[in-house]
Amino acid sequence: MSTVAQTALAGQVEAAAKAAGLVVVGSEEGKDFSGGPTARFTLGLALNPARKQTLELSAAFDFSQGPLKNVVDSYLQESATRLKNPRPDCYLTMHGLPLSFGKFEWPFHASTSGADTYIVHGEARLEDGNESVLHAKVSASMTRTFAEVVAALEQPFAESFIYNAIRKTTDQGQIELVKSGNRQPVPVTTRYYSSKQKRFIFNDTTESQRQEFLAAKVFWLSGMLGGGEPVWLADPRDAQYLNTTVDDLKKMAEAVAAEGVIRLAADTEFATPTEALMGHRDGYLAEMESTLKFIKPSFNEDMRAGHTNM
């Protein structure tokens, strides 16, 4: 048994994981960006340990009681459901880009450039069903003032809104997917948070947009990437991203199913694509290509040639 596995933190993680239907299948010592010690746990579904994810926490982090424990417990319960997806690392953007998120270096660290911010590094990668090399190394930052609304600068407390900020920044054409390149900034600002409602807000969407999103999610994450296995449609991260509720997503899923686009599983929060949905393959691929062109920087050719009106 490693040193990490003998710590109080390891005991807390093991107990919380078990309560959520997860098991700790591995653990190791790590280091954060500044060289501080972290504990890196590999968690798997109790009923299918091959479905795994990584949880990395500061080695001295203690969530044994109070509000911190509640957040971690909720995070692990959501993770257990998300791990039932064939590709639990994948998410869809509003503009139809299927992305996987990985290589995140938790927890946040203070900026080394002198800026008054906290930073976390990671990677978003295009998942188009082929062996795409397009990706973006990202540097997500939030100000110290904004950090005051986050209970802890650890993975369970920030992963959801960081992933959604990356999706939103991509939607805005401010992240380019490339074959290689430097880290691209993802600012997490107060415009994504309502202090009055005490919640994150990323997109204002209509019922039609939410239904289209769910259909596209099933197409990509099940039909194209998941071998036709059911995908979770009531994910709280999507609810946050779409500025709606989990209950609303369930209603939207039922509406899409009624149109013969998706097929709800026995657990009606999950769905698979119908042949009718997969018949729209060309349209979804065209939408993806259009978005990739949108997020690619363009240049004014007249200015490049020296023809300006300045």
Side-chain angles (χ1 to χ4, degrees):
M1 184 176 292
S2 70
T3 302
V4 169
Q6 299 175 35
T7 65
L9 176 60
Q12 293 172 30
V13 170
E14 184 174 1
K18 183 178 180 180
L22 299 168
V23 291
V24 178
V25 296
S27 60
E28 61 181 355
E29 296 177 350
K31 290 184 178 180
D32 63 20
F33 185 84
S34 303
T38 65
R40 189 179 297 118
F41 301 93
T42 301
L43 306 178
L45 277 176
L47 298 179
N48 185 4
R51 293 278 176 88
K52 298 179 289 187
Q53 77 161 65
T54 299
L55 172 66
E56 186 168 17
L57 301 167
S58 299
F61 185 59
D62 183 350
F63 65 93
S64 58
Q65 57 187 349
L68 295 183
K69 184 178 187 303
N70 294 337
V71 173
V72 175
D73 287 346
S74 178
Y75 170 84
L76 293 176
Q77 290 164 8
E78 286 183 16
S79 295
T81 305
R82 195 173 293 111
L83 281 172
K84 296 177 182 178
N85 286 334
R87 287 294 305 271
D89 60 330
C90 288
Y91 298 81
L92 188 71
T93 73
M94 285 283 292
H95 291 176
L97 286 185
L99 302 175
S100 64
F101 294 131
K103 298 183 180 180
F104 276 79
E105 302 169 1
W106 298 100
F108 283 91
H109 62 271
S111 171
T112 58
S113 65
D116 191 25
T117 56
Y118 290 107
I119 307 289
V120 65
H121 292 160
E123 182 178 284
R125 181 171 293 274
L126 179 68
E127 300 289 349
D128 60 359
N130 300 309
E131 295 184 4
S132 174
V133 297
L134 296 180
H135 67 284
K137 296 177 181 178
V138 298
S139 177
S141 64
M142 61 181 179
T143 64
R144 292 178 182 270
T145 301
F146 182 80
E148 292 177 1
V149 306
V150 183
L153 301 181
E154 304 284 341
Q155 182 178 352
F157 300 82
E159 189 175 75
S160 178
F161 71 77
I162 289 297
Y163 284 8
N164 283 340
I166 294 171
R167 285 199 274 184
K168 178 68 174 181
T169 306
T170 304
D171 289 334
Q172 295 171 326
Q174 296 174 6
I175 288 182
E176 183 186 10
L177 299 177
V178 294
K179 294 180 180 179
S180 63
N182 297 324
R183 294 198 181 277
Q184 301 178 52
V186 176
V188 183
T189 68
T190 51
R191 64 180 175 174
Y192 293 146
Y193 187 79
S194 170
S195 57
K196 183 176 181 180
Q197 301 178 52
K198 297 188 182 303
R199 66 187 182 93
F200 290 91
I201 299 175
F202 290 94
N203 296 288
D204 289 324
T205 58
T206 64
E207 285 190 6
S208 177
Q209 287 175 316
R210 295 194 291 277
Q211 290 178 21
E212 291 172 0
F213 176 89
L214 292 180
K217 177 177 178 175
V218 174
F219 170 83
W220 279 110
L221 273 62
S222 175
M224 292 294 288
L225 304 175
E229 293 185 40
V231 296
W232 189 25
L233 297 187
D235 191 332
R237 291 186 178 177
D238 287 338
Q240 183 187 78
Y241 177 57
L242 300 172
N243 192 24
T244 188
T245 65
V246 167
D247 286 341
D248 178 71
L249 289 182
K250 293 177 184 178
K251 292 178 181 178
M252 295 301 99
E254 291 173 357
V256 177
E259 295 177 357
V261 177
I262 62 175
R263 187 177 297 107
L264 295 179
D267 181 343
T268 56
E269 292 189 5
F270 285 74
T272 57
T274 61
E275 291 184 5
L277 178 61
M278 296 311 295
H280 292 283
R281 181 177 185 274
D282 290 345
Y284 284 119
L285 292 179
E287 181 184 25
M288 180 186 69
E289 290 300 327
S290 176
T291 301
L292 288 174
K293 290 180 181 179
F294 168 69
I295 66 176
K296 184 177 182 179
S298 60
F299 299 92
N300 186 316
E301 294 299 327
D302 286 339
M303 293 185 67
R304 187 198 300 271
H307 304 299
T308 71
N309 59 2
M310 295 178 62

